[in-house]
Amino acid sequence: MTATPGTDRLLADAEARGLAVEVVDRPEAGSLVEAASVLGIDPSTIVKSLVVKRHDGQFLFALVPGGRQISWSKLRAVVGVNKLSMPSPDVALEATGYERGTITPIGSTTAWPVYADERIAGTRVALGAGAHGRSAFVEADALLAAYGATVADITDDERPRD
């Protein structure tokens, strides 16, 4: 595996937190389902690390299992705010140091609060590894504990796209 600044940052942060992470190279994928197929795992075990902007300009991570999407009303209730939004890719990069498709709370340039959907608890998940064409595998419970994550029902089933 070639070194990349994003993956190196992820591995250093994981080590500092005592978090066991396995980073694997994989062909770049055009979708979550394609990535799951390449990795030989169920799409629900891929966790999307989404950067969400609060009304006060701060950010948070929402960890969403594959096949699900953020329920804005549920997430707002858990966070205790009236307004949340998805920032542009440039703003997400500035907030985390990671490009979309590679984002993870592990090694983010700022340790934003983590909110995780309850469905990932007790599973081994794959998430962004700080570089395109890589995935990081980690035990979700260890990840949630390492980041003091708030775990709640924050998602809904994804709607089929036409």
Side-chain angles (χ1 to χ4, degrees):
M1 175 180 349
T2 28
T4 67
T7 302
D8 290 348
R9 203 168 61 242
L10 173 139
L11 292 170
D13 187 34
E15 184 177 341
R17 293 173 184 271
L19 186 61
V21 174
E22 176 190 5
V23 175
V24 298
D25 288 322
R26 61 165 172 75
E28 288 196 41
S31 70
L32 182 135
V33 172
E34 187 180 325
S37 176
V38 166
L39 292 167
I41 59 176
D42 188 272
S44 67
T45 61
I46 292 184
V47 170
K48 300 173 278 188
S49 299
L50 304 176
V51 179
V52 177
K53 187 175 182 180
R54 294 170 45 113
H55 69 286
D56 61 5
Q58 298 295 302
F59 297 90
L60 61 91
F61 288 103
L63 303 184
V64 176
R68 300 193 64 83
Q69 62 186 4
I70 290 175
S71 166
W72 292 103
S73 60
K74 291 176 185 177
L75 185 57
R76 283 192 308 268
V78 171
V79 176
V81 297
N82 292 326
K83 186 175 181 188
L84 295 169
S85 62
M86 295 288 289
S88 70
D90 290 346
V91 172
L93 173 60
E94 187 178 318
T96 66
Y98 293 128
E99 293 179 12
R100 282 225 176 123
T102 72
I103 293 174
T104 173
I106 308 169
S108 172
T109 52
T110 302
W112 302 112
V114 176
Y115 291 81
D117 188 74
E118 64 191 9
R119 289 158 189 84
I120 71 170
T123 64
R124 184 171 189 255
V125 297
L127 38 111
H132 293 286
R134 292 201 170 140
S135 293
F137 286 88
V138 63
E139 292 297 328
D141 291 350
L143 174 70
L144 301 174
Y147 287 87
T150 299
V151 180
D153 178 9
I154 60 167
T155 66
D156 291 323
D157 283 327
E158 272 187 346
R159 293 177 182 87
R161 297 180 186 173
D162 295 328

